[in-house]
Amino acid sequence: MTHIPVAANAKTTSTKAKMSPNSQFIPLNDTFLETVLRWRNLPHIRANMHSTNEISWQQHLSWFETLKNDSKKQFFVFLQNERPIGVLNFTLVDAIENRLELTTPCLEWGCYIGEDNVWPGSGLLLEIAALDYAFIGKNAATLYAEVLSSNQSVLKMHKLFQYDALEDRTEEKTDGTIVTVKRFLYHQKQWLLKREKVLSMLPKQIGAAAQHIHFAKS
């Protein structure tokens, strides 16, 4: 199973909070490689990953070459008003919970924000972007997520968006720490039925900003 957890919340400011930012997601390319490596090595991001090891430039290049040749993976850079602030990624995975006919095709998703001073609510926009991309853009049957139990801010967001919780599991991280992994599943029909209701429960500026989410073609 691919492990792409959601990383910690970014720091935000309240400036321009009521203005709707433009959120664009473009496939990772050479232009953003150094920026993404810097993000991947930030302590607060590594702390929420399955591997806590610092990543070398050569390891990063090797990872990128593998990514380019893997048709099951999609890795987007999150641009907010043309400024790169984080990533959103998807992996096509096998059926979850042995319910093949109910869960495939299934996308697993992960994200993180690597910059400070981002628009308040950027984490919520990532949630909306992931659900819309999986179920409207890719017509996936289900969306799967894994989050470390210590990542409380993301767990609260998944609860707000009404994910179905699956059975927890434990694993040993690369530093030897034993952690609990929270597992979640969302069905396409749930999101298509709940989308407008869920958005109506969010601050109005989030709903407005959700109208300005765009994915560039891979």
Side-chain angles (χ1 to χ4, degrees), residues 61-70 73:
L61 289 179
S62 178
W63 165 81
F64 181 54
E65 287 302 315
T66 300
L67 180 68
K68 289 192 296 185
N69 296 312
D70 191 340
K73 293 182 181 293

Side-chain angles (χ1 to χ4, degrees), residues 98-119:
N98 297 315
R99 293 177 291 180
L100 180 64
E101 72 283 358
L102 297 179
T103 61
T104 56
C106 180
L107 292 177
E108 179 177 358
W109 79 284
C111 70
Y112 53 80
I113 294 176
E115 298 294 334
D116 295 340
N117 301 319
V118 300
W119 189 75

Side-chain angles (χ1 to χ4, degrees), residues 173-192:
K173 299 178 72 172
T174 55
D175 62 0
T177 305
I178 304 299
V179 295
T180 298
V181 179
K182 312 292 287 187
R183 302 165 62 241
F184 299 93
L185 195 67
Y186 216 116
H187 289 267
Q188 181 188 48
K189 62 181 180 180
Q190 290 176 280
W191 181 238
L192 296 182

Side-chain angles (χ1 to χ4, degrees), residues 138-182:
K138 288 296 182 179
N139 196 33
T142 48
L143 186 64
Y144 175 71
E146 294 188 348
V147 185
L148 298 186
S149 60
S150 58
N151 200 344
Q152 289 297 313
S153 58
V154 174
L155 294 176
K156 289 178 181 178
M157 285 199 297
H158 283 357
K159 182 177 181 180
L160 176 64
F161 279 79
Q162 303 177 28
Y163 280 75
D164 292 331
L166 302 178
E167 184 177 354
D168 296 348
R169 66 176 179 80
T170 59
E171 70 170 38
E172 183 177 359
K173 299 178 72 172
T174 55
D175 62 0
T177 305
I178 304 299
V179 295
T180 298
V181 179
K182 312 292 287 187

